[in-house]
Amino acid sequence: VQLQASGGGLVQAGGSLRLSCAASGRTLSSYAMAWFRQAPGKEREFVSIIDWSGDNTNYANSVKGRFTISRDNAKNTVYLQMNSLKPEDTAVYYCAAGRQLSTTSGAYDSWGQGTLVTVSS
């Protein structure tokens, strides 16, 4: 499955953005989906995951209560709604698809190209 992430940009602290991850080539309905992020000079880290049905989600502690992951299988798209953004949320955000729901990046074999989120203070 090919993934295309979009929706990043520059936003002030406290603002909101919604990231989208559109799939092509295969339907997303049978995949677990995840968002990871990588800040400059840091390793890629888990942000959020959602199972194929959308009924099960999980979040990194650093974004819990501020970010919401969702999916629309009919549109073959996964979303990440990011509210109350902080400068430390600045990173390239990647979406990923895999057969197994996991917080570990190695469990995902399809990745989008990344979209840059910059939060100014």
Side-chain angles (χ1 to χ4, degrees):
V1 60
Q2 290 78 46
L3 303 175
Q4 178 76 36
S6 62
L10 174 63
V11 63
Q12 288 188 333
S16 298
L17 283 174
R18 189 176 80 155
L19 305 184
S20 298
C21 177
S24 61
R26 287 190 175 186
T27 177
L28 275 184
S29 61
S30 59
Y31 287 88
M33 298 295 297
W35 288 94
F36 289 81
R37 67 185 181 186
Q38 188 166 16
K42 295 187 177 181
E43 294 187 352
R44 190 170 298 187
E45 65 175 3
F46 158 73
V47 175
S48 184
I49 52 175
I50 187 168
D51 73 352
W52 69 272
S53 69
D55 290 340
N56 295 300
T57 60
N58 196 6
Y59 299 90
N61 287 335
S62 59
V63 307
K64 199 170 293 184
R66 301 187 297 121
F67 290 11
T68 303
I69 191 171
S70 62
R71 66 191 299 160
D72 186 337
N73 287 337
K75 294 184 177 180
N76 237 20
T77 303
V78 175
Y79 305 97
L80 186 68
Q81 178 67 43
M82 305 186 297
N83 299 329
S84 303
L85 282 161
K86 304 175 181 180
E88 51 264 43
D89 294 319
T90 295
V92 177
Y93 284 70
Y94 298 90
C95 59
R99 294 296 186 178
Q100 183 178 3
L101 192 64
S102 173
T103 62
T104 304
S105 61
Y108 298 89
D109 47 23
S110 297
W111 291 80
Q113 84 290 357
T115 184
L116 177 62
V117 172
T118 304
V119 184
S120 63
S121 57

